[in-house]
Amino acid sequence: MHRPRHSFAVIATLGLLAICDAIALEQAPSTVIAINHPIPLVQGTQVGKANFAPGDTAKGGNGQPVDGIEGSIHEMLKTHVHAHLSLFYQGEQIAVPAGIGIVGPFHAKDGFVGDGKGFYWLHTHDATGIIHIESPDDRAYTLGNFFNIWGQPLSSTNVAGLIGTVRAFVDGKPYTENIRDIVLKGQEQITLVVGKPVPTPPRYVFPQGL
C-alpha cells in the first residue's frame, strides 16, 4: 500500500489543532463555537430535541380568537410567508413542536400535520421551526402573537417554561428590544437562547417554495 510521505506530519498537525480547539473552549465556556454553514430545512423532520407536546396548550388557541387572530376552517393565503424560530436551552437546541396553531384533533403523517379543525393564521406544520404566516390581510404579526396562540409564556426570563436569561437574535444579529414585539417576516430567522452557553445562531435554508 502506498503511504504518503507526510502522513505522520499531517496527523500530528491535526492533533495539535484539536488540542488548541479544546483549550479555547475551556477558556470560553459561555460561548459555543460553531461553523455556521447554512443548514437545509426538510419539511416533516424535527430540528432539535423533543421537549414539548404537539399543538397548543390549554391556555392557547383552541378555536377561539387569540389577539384577533382566528382559527379559520380553511388556510388564509392572501399573505403567505414563512419565518423560522430556533430555541436553545443551556446550549441544547429544543424543537418547536408541530401543530402549533392547528386546532385539534389533527392528523400527522410523516411528521407533517396537514389538517385539523381549524388553522390560526400563525401555525406550524412540523417540528422544523418553520412558522407559517397565512393571513387574510397584510397586518403585522409578532412573536408574542405566536406564543399566545401556542399558549406558552414569552419574556426576558421565560421561553415556553424554559427559565433563564433570554438572548434574542434576528437574522444572526442581537435583538435588544422586547422579544414579544419581534415582527414575523418572510424568510426571517429568529433565535432565542435561554441561559448559557450561548451558541452561534444557526442559519437555515428554507425548503424550495417556502
Side-chain angles (χ1 to χ4, degrees):
M1 178 183 295
H2 176 71
R3 194 180 293 270
R5 180 177 298 178
H6 301 296
S7 59
F8 292 108
V10 171
I11 293 171
T13 301
L14 292 175
L16 180 59
L17 289 173
I19 293 171
C20 290
D21 287 343
I23 292 172
L25 288 173
E26 288 182 3
Q27 292 175 341
S30 63
T31 303
V32 173
I33 300 172
I35 298 173
N36 196 20
H37 295 307
I39 304 166
L41 292 169
V42 178
Q43 294 188 83
T45 62
Q46 177 177 298
V47 178
K49 175 185 176 181
N51 189 72
F52 302 106
D56 300 329
T57 72
K59 295 181 179 180
N62 291 281
Q64 81 284 9
V66 177
D67 297 345
I69 302 168
E70 298 178 8
S72 305
I73 297 176
H74 303 290
E75 292 177 290
M76 300 293 177
L77 300 176
K78 181 176 181 180
T79 296
H80 187 188
V81 295
H82 305 88
H84 186 269
L85 175 62
S86 300
L87 303 179
F88 287 85
Y89 179 61
Q90 296 181 350
E92 183 175 29
Q93 187 161 9
I94 304 298
V96 177
I100 294 173
I102 300 179
V103 182
F106 50 70
H107 175 68
K109 182 179 180 181
D110 298 327
F112 191 90
V113 178
D115 55 26
K117 291 179 63 177
F119 293 86
Y120 284 90
W121 304 335
L122 309 177
H123 57 263
T124 64
H125 283 288
D126 55 28
T128 58
I130 296 173
I131 299 175
H132 296 248
I133 301 105
E134 301 175 3
S135 172
D137 51 43
D138 58 0
R139 77 181 75 176
Y141 299 98
T142 67
L143 193 61
N145 296 146
F146 177 74
F147 272 75
N148 288 347
I149 291 170
W150 187 7
Q152 293 281 13
L154 178 64
S155 72
S156 61
T157 58
N158 186 342
V159 175
L162 306 175
I163 305 299
T165 300
V166 178
R167 295 169 177 81
F169 301 86
V170 176
D171 293 333
K173 299 178 180 179
Y175 184 90
T176 57
E177 304 299 323
N178 188 336
I179 57 176
R180 296 187 61 84
D181 295 334
I182 295 175
V183 176
L184 302 176
K185 301 176 182 178
Q187 303 292 303
E188 184 176 60
Q189 302 197 28
I190 302 165
T191 302
L192 300 182
V193 179
V194 184
K196 294 183 178 181
V198 180
T200 300
R203 292 187 296 142
Y204 294 100
V205 178
F206 285 79
Q208 187 173 3
L210 296 191

